[in-house]
Amino acid sequence: GNSVTQMEGPVTLSEEAFLTINCTYTATGYPSLFWYVQYPGEGLQLLLKATKADDKGSNKGFEATYRKETTSFHLEKGSVQVSDSAVYFCALSGVRGSTLGRLYFGRGTQLTVWP
Amino acid sequence: EAGVTQFPSHSVIEKGQTVTLRCDPISGHDNLYWYRRVMGKEIKFLLHFVKESKQDESGMPNNRFLAERTGGTYSTLKVQPAELEDSGVYFCASSQGTGWSGELFFGEGSRLTVL
């Protein structure tokens, strides 16, 4: 089946620390991969995406590379800020037989950044 | 431009009662989705509307759940009768009708607690 596994949280870091949140997937066909973020009191919003193998998505200092050989899409940021505190969700879509816009999410990783 | 809005933000009901959740998508978005996150689990797809038609309802847990989108604008999700395992956060999302970029626009969610 189609599924996403991401590292368990919570993750607590000091400001300016390096961040990695691991994400691996299982999918039929050739999915697109996403990272969504939910800030406190807000809805989920797209952080970055990659649509094919070896693509790198980037936004707001965050990056993730679509690795087909390891079925991974790890999220990284070189220097986190307090304002990055949020829940991060890895997701995939576009698998064979799925309706347009149907996303398969991981469980989410809570990130807290301390000053 | 207003984002996706959901109402109520939090509902507490007793087992056996009925609850109706409402979602107003972004104006002009033909696609409307319902997702659910049960505590500690991944966000799961429930169903997808294109305008007023149900495109995919394969994620609906059982026949206690009824979704409607009369006139292709706002949508409601009714749970009747509610059970304890229905507790969770119900997210609504929308996207434009054509040329989907891979981005869904989410509301803040409606938290349902069934006692």
Side-chain angles (χ1 to χ4, degrees):
Chain A
N2 303 301
S3 66
V4 173
T5 302
Q6 61 182 106
M7 66 184 284
E8 296 285 329
V11 175
T12 303
L13 295 173
S14 297
E15 209 166 23
E16 299 183 4
F18 183 85
L19 168 71
T20 299
I21 301 178
N22 289 337
C23 171
T24 57
Y25 68 90
T26 301
T28 54
Y30 303 95
S32 294
L33 301 174
F34 307 87
W35 278 99
Y36 275 80
V37 58
Q38 186 179 23
Y39 298 104
E42 299 183 13
L44 280 78
Q45 54 188 270
L46 179 65
L47 179 60
L48 53 84
K49 67 179 182 181
T51 57
K52 61 183 187 297
D54 300 325
D55 270 2
K56 177 186 285 187
S58 60
N59 186 25
K60 299 182 180 180
F62 291 89
E63 293 184 339
T65 301
Y66 189 145
R67 301 287 188 198
K68 185 180 176 184
E69 63 277 13
T70 54
T71 61
S72 65
F73 193 56
H74 305 320
L75 182 69
E76 296 182 336
K77 186 173 186 182
S79 177
V80 294
Q81 304 300 312
V82 173
S83 57
D84 294 327
S85 298
V87 182
Y88 292 81
F89 294 91
C90 186
L92 64 84
S93 77
V95 293
R96 197 176 301 137
S98 281
T99 188
L100 186 69
R102 178 171 183 166
L103 294 172
Y104 295 81
F105 285 94
R107 294 192 176 194
T109 302
Q110 172 74 56
L111 170 67
T112 301
V113 181
W114 296 100
Chain B
E1 179 182 292
V4 176
T5 56
Q6 295 187 242
F7 183 83
S9 57
H10 191 187
S11 180
V12 181
I13 61 174
E14 293 191 350
K15 176 181 172 181
Q17 291 186 319
T18 297
V19 64
T20 300
L21 310 178
R22 173 172 169 142
C23 168
D24 286 77
I26 292 173
S27 178
H29 279 192
D30 290 339
N31 294 291
L32 187 150
Y33 307 82
W34 284 98
Y35 285 82
R36 177 175 73 171
R37 187 186 190 199
V38 173
M39 177 77 78
K41 300 283 185 70
E42 62 273 17
I43 299 172
K44 283 195 171 181
F45 168 86
L46 295 179
L47 86 160
H48 170 208
F49 284 99
V50 177
K51 297 183 180 178
E52 67 275 11
S53 300
K54 290 177 185 174
Q55 187 76 13
D56 180 357
E57 53 183 332
S58 61
M60 294 287 262
N62 50 61
N63 59 11
R64 295 185 293 102
F65 290 74
L66 175 64
E68 295 181 323
R69 193 183 182 194
T70 307
T73 54
Y74 72 91
S75 175
T76 58
L77 179 65
K78 180 191 290 187
V79 185
Q80 179 183 31
E83 298 289 344
L84 298 179
E85 64 264 25
D86 300 332
S87 295
V89 181
Y90 290 77
F91 292 100
C92 177
S94 70
S95 69
Q96 292 180 328
T98 58
W100 188 57
S101 65
E103 181 171 12
L104 296 187
F105 296 85
F106 282 83
E108 293 181 30
S110 291
R111 180 177 297 277
L112 173 64
T113 302
V114 183
L115 303 176

